[in-house]
Amino acid sequence: MLLALSCVVASDLATTSRSLQDEVVRTEGLVLSNVRTLGQAQRELLRLQHLLDIDAPDDEVRLQAGFVSQRTQESALSYQQVTLGADSLMATARRNEAAWREEVLPALNRLLLDRRDRRDSARTRAQIEERIQGLERSYNVLASLGETNRREQVATTNETATDLSGDLRRLLLMLGVLLAAALASSATGAVLFLRADRRRSDAVRELRTLNDDLAFYSRVVEATDSPLIASDPTGRITWVNEAFTRSTGWRLDEAQGLRADEFLFGPATDPGTVDRLAHAMTARLPIRVEVAIRTHDGEQRWVTTDVSPLLDADGELEGYFAVQTDITERHEAELLLVEARRAAEETARQKASFLATMSHEIRTPLNAVLGLTDLLLLTDLDGEQRDYVETAHRSGSHLLALINDVLVYSSLESGRLEHAEEPFSMAGVLGETVAMFGPEAEVKGVALRLHLAPDVPAALRGDEVRLRQVLVNLVGNALKFTESGSVSVETTVVRRSEDADGRPLCELLTTVTDTGIGIPEWRIPDLFQSFVRGDASTTREYGGTGLGLAISRGLVEAMGGTVELESELGRGTRVSVRTAHRAIGAPEFDPAALMAAEPEDSCQLSVLVAEDDAVNRKVVVGMLARLGIVPSVVGNGRDAVDLVERVDFDVVLMDVEMPVMDGVSAVRRIRDSQGERRPHVIALTANALTGDRERFIEAGMDDYVSKPVTLESLTAALVRARPRSSV
C-alpha cells in the first residue's frame, strides 16, 4: 500500500511538473506580446495627435479621445502592478491617466468648442499637442520597462520550475527512504508532499495570471502603428513588430542579425547623426535622432528614432529598444520652406539690383534736368520763361522725391535702412524746407509759417538728409490737403539731458499743423500703412503714392524718435515728430560760405571733374562756373589718375561708373600713388541706395554727393573740402 501510494504521488508530481513546464513555455511565448496594454495607450495618443495635426472633424477627434480615455484607464488599473513591477512606475501610469482626464481632455474639449465658434485656437492646440506628446513618450517608457519586468517574471517562473523539479527529485529520494524506513519515511514524505503541493498550486496560479497579462500586452504590441525594433548589446536586430514590416517592407527574417546601418539607413542620413547614435549606444544613454531609411522597394523615408538601452536587474546591458515615427511629410515641408526662403532671397536680390539699376539710370538724366534748370533760373529770364523753368524744376524735384520715397521704402521693408550722425543746422533744414514750398503756398494763397524756438541749439548731430525728407513729406502733405488758411511748422525743445558720456542731448518736438480738409478719426490708424491715402475716393483729387506717412514714421523710428498724428474732419491736421540729437558747439561748416565768397577766393580751388556723361559734365562745369571755378575735365578714371599725377588738384569730383576705369578703382590708385598729398575726392554718383555712401567712403572717397546734383549740395561739399585744400 505504501508503495502504491508512493507511485501515485510520483505520478501526480510528474504530471504537475509537466503542467508547470507547459506554463513556462507558454509564458516564454507571450513575453513580447504582453506590452500591448501600455502600447495601446501610446498608439491611441499618436492617432489623436495625427487627427489634430490634420484638423480632422470634431466627431473623429472626440471618438479618438474616447479611445485614449479607455486605454489610459486600463493602463492605471491595479493589475498593471504585476506588469510594471514597481510602485513608482504604477504611480507614473496613474499620474498619466489623471493628467489625461483632468488636464488634457478638458483642454481638448475647450479646443473643439473654440474651433466650432471659429476662435483662434492655435496656441491651445500647440499646448495640447505638447502634452499628448509627453504622455505618448511616458507610455513608451512604461511599455519598455514593462517588457523588462515581464522578462524578470519569466526568469523567476523558470527558477520556480527548477525548484519544483528539485523538490520532485528530493521527494523521490525520500520515497526510497520511505520504502526503507516505513512509517517514519511515510510521515516525512507526507510533509514534503503537502509542501510541494502548496508551492505547485501557488506557482501554477501565479503563472496563469502572468500569462494572461503577457497575452494582453502582446496584443498591444502587435496592434501599435509605431515600428518597434529590439537588438542585442552589439546592435544587431533580434526582433521587429508588424508595424515595422508594414512601413519598411523588411520582414523579421530579413532584418534579424543585421545592424540598422547595414541595410536600413539611406544615403541622405547625416554621418554625424550616425556617429552620435553610436556614441549614445556605447554610453548606454537614450537618444532621439532623425535619419533617412530605405524601404524594401528602395523608397526613402525620414523617421524619428528613439533608442533606449535595456538593462537587467543587475544593471547589465541586455540590448536596445527603438521606436520609430515617420516624419517624411514634415521633412519635405521643411525642404519646401528652405527652397521658398532661397527663392525669396533671390527675388530680394534681383529686386535690389533692379532698384539700383533703375535709380542710377533715372538719376543720370534727372541730374541734367534739375541741374540745367537750376542754372537757367540763375540767368536773366522774362516772366513767362521763368514760370516755365520753375514748373519744369518743380516737376523734376517731385519726380526725384518719388524716386527717393521708393528707395527709402524698399530699404525700410528689407530692414537695411541706415542713418548718419553728422553735424547739421535745424534752422537750415527748416528754412530750406519751407522755402521749397513757398512758391506753391503763394499760388494757393495759403500762409506758410515757420517758428523756431530761440533755445534750439545752433548745431546738432543727426541725419540731416533723413530729417529733411521727413519734413518735406509732412509739409508737402499739409500743403496738398489745405486749400485755404495756413500751414505752420514749429520746433521747440521739450527736454535736455546727457548721454552716457556726459555729452548734452536735446529732444526736439517739431509739429506741422494745417487748416486743411482733415481726416476722419476712423481713418487715422490706417494712414501710417503703406499705399494708404487720406483721400480714398476714386477721383484721386489729391494724388500721391500713399507712402509719405509710412516712410516718415519709418525714418523717424530708425532715428529713435516717434511720430503722432491728430486730426479733425474739416478743421485740419497736426503731425508731431519727436527726435533726440546731440548738441554741439557750433556748425562745423556753412554751405553758404562759398556762395558768398568773392570770385577770386573761389578760384583758389583747383578742381578736376571725372565724368563720362557729356550732359552731366555740362551741368557740373556750369555750377562750378557760377562759383567762379574753372575745372579740368576728363571722361574716365584712368585719365583722372594720370592727370592727378601731373597736376596738384585740391578737389576731384569723381563719378563712380565710368568706362576704361571706374571711380572706385581710380581713387584707390590715387591714394596709393599720392599718399598724404592726395586731393580731396568727392564721389559724384547716381548710386543712391542705402549703404552706397558708406561703401564709397570705405573705398577711399572723402565725401559723397548723390545725383541729381544741386548747386547747394555741390557748394556744401566744396566747403567741406576747404580745410584740406588750405593746408
Side-chain angles (χ1 to χ4, degrees), residues 396-448:
S397 299
H398 180 63
L399 177 60
L400 177 60
L402 292 177
I403 295 172
N404 289 336
D405 281 351
V406 171
L407 294 179
V408 172
Y409 177 75
S410 175
S411 299
L412 288 170
E413 189 180 44
S414 63
R416 295 182 292 105
L417 184 70
E418 301 174 359
H419 66 278
E421 282 291 330
E422 298 177 344
F424 76 98
S425 167
M426 191 66 184
V429 172
L430 292 172
E432 292 173 11
T433 303
V434 171
M436 179 186 304
F437 292 99
E440 181 180 353
E442 185 177 354
V443 170
K444 296 183 70 173
V446 175
L448 184 57

